[in-house]
Amino acid sequence: MGKAAPALVLVHGYLGGAEQWRDQIARFGGRIRVIAPDLPGFGARSTEAAPDSIAGFAQDILRQADEEGIQSFHLVGHSMGGMIAQEIAALAPARVGRLVLYGTGPQGALPDRFEPIAASRARIMSDGLGPAIERIVASWFLTGEAASGYPGCADLASHVGTQAALAALTAMESWDGRDRLAGIVAPTLVLWGDCDRSYGWSQTEMLWRGIPRASLAVVPGAAHNVHQEKPEIFNRLLSDFLELSTRGATEAPAAMAG
């Protein structure tokens, strides 16, 4: 019996959830097994406590892959999910076929973010979670709250509890993957929208130049959530890199793990 083809694991970012990958599941689910886990504290798991380390989130993804019987997989990580993907690539390099680091960077303190992590934490503590979430989610889109993807993301984020929101900020702020970039062995695509207000060019460039087998794709006129602002471009880049076909896929199969 031949070796099973790798699955595709999609890892969402801060305040997100599996639901944000709906279009990608629809496009690729008929060609490859797609798993879009919810991280603890987010999405369908919003009632669970979130870990306060990127390593804790990475171990949860690996546990879910084990439960799904998935040994090898291509890995896409967005935003905080990209940090988690880098951690997985370090923890289990033999399991990762191809790696996509999207709208992310190797420095968890986020020096180019629209506001420092400490400021977001202070806003959550002083103003409450709701106003802070609205501000953060609006920053993901070029047109802010007017973007078509904003309502769904804001609704998904509204179910996140204060514990998870604060724990994930701590996880990002305390993580640094710069010294491990040279050890990433998987062929890697670094994908970035040139108007991203969460991760600036300095973060993107560190990934691109620091990972030995990295390619770079910059999408013009897009912010942090390229996969929702310009899905056709995003999906084409992803399918080309993973050598997947999108023809004939019109609706999502039962491919999402929550």
Side-chain angles (χ1 to χ4, degrees), residues 9-172:
V9 177
L10 306 171
V11 185
H12 69 78
Y14 183 62
L15 301 178
E19 180 66 22
Q20 289 181 343
W21 297 114
R22 177 169 293 275
D23 186 67
Q24 285 67 50
I25 294 169
R27 291 299 185 96
F28 303 121
R31 304 295 182 266
I32 189 173
R33 186 178 181 190
V34 180
I35 303 297
D38 284 303
L39 295 170
F42 300 91
R45 301 173 68 190
S46 61
T47 59
E48 298 181 28
D52 62 359
S53 70
I54 294 298
F57 283 115
Q59 288 159 0
D60 184 85
I61 293 292
L62 288 170
R63 177 189 59 78
Q64 292 193 63
D66 289 342
E67 290 178 353
E68 293 287 333
I70 295 171
Q71 178 57 36
S72 62
F73 47 83
H74 301 311
L75 183 60
V76 178
H78 177 224
S79 193
M80 182 181 80
M83 299 178 187
I84 296 166
Q86 291 172 66
E87 190 73 17
I88 291 171
L91 289 171
R95 298 183 68 172
V96 180
R98 290 183 171 238
L99 177 65
V100 179
L101 300 177
Y102 155 43
T104 191
Q107 190 175 1
L110 302 183
D112 305 315
R113 191 170 183 259
F114 76 98
E115 69 179 13
I117 285 179
S120 292
R121 182 183 293 109
R123 287 180 185 276
I124 291 171
M125 300 299 292
S126 63
D127 302 339
L129 196 54
I133 281 177
E134 291 173 1
R135 177 180 172 84
I136 292 169
V137 174
S139 75
W140 298 346
F141 299 95
L142 199 62
T143 56
E145 295 182 9
S148 60
Y150 173 83
C153 287
D155 179 69
L156 193 60
S158 70
H159 297 286
V160 176
T162 300
Q163 185 277 333
L166 293 175
L169 288 178
T170 298
M172 288 189 285

Side-chain angles (χ1 to χ4, degrees), residues 189-193 215-219 237:
L189 174 65
V190 179
L191 198 158
W192 179 67
S215 300
L216 175 67
V218 176
V219 179
L237 289 168

Side-chain angles (χ1 to χ4, degrees), residues 22-24 26-28 102 148 189 191 217 219-220 222 225-241 244-250:
R22 177 169 293 275
D23 186 67
Q24 285 67 50
R27 291 299 185 96
F28 303 121
Y102 155 43
S148 60
L189 174 65
L191 198 158
V219 179
N225 279 28
V226 178
H227 68 298
Q228 293 177 308
E229 288 187 305
K230 297 195 173 183
E232 292 301 326
I233 293 175
F234 179 88
N235 291 339
R236 179 59 184 268
L237 289 168
L238 192 58
S239 65
D240 284 355
F241 180 68
L244 302 175
S245 171
T246 60
R247 286 181 289 180
T250 57

Side-chain angles (χ1 to χ4, degrees), residues 169-230:
L169 288 178
T170 298
M172 288 189 285
E173 193 174 38
S174 61
W175 180 83
D176 194 328
R178 287 175 291 180
D179 63 348
R180 290 187 288 182
L181 293 180
I184 293 177
V185 297
T188 302
L189 174 65
V190 179
L191 198 158
W192 179 67
D194 69 350
C195 297
D196 193 328
R197 297 177 63 202
S198 297
Y199 296 80
W201 168 247
S202 67
Q203 290 262 63
T204 303
E205 185 177 22
M206 277 191 283
L207 292 175
W208 174 44
R209 296 192 184 279
I211 298 172
R213 303 173 67 186
S215 300
L216 175 67
V218 176
V219 179
H224 190 50
N225 279 28
V226 178
H227 68 298
Q228 293 177 308
E229 288 187 305
K230 297 195 173 183

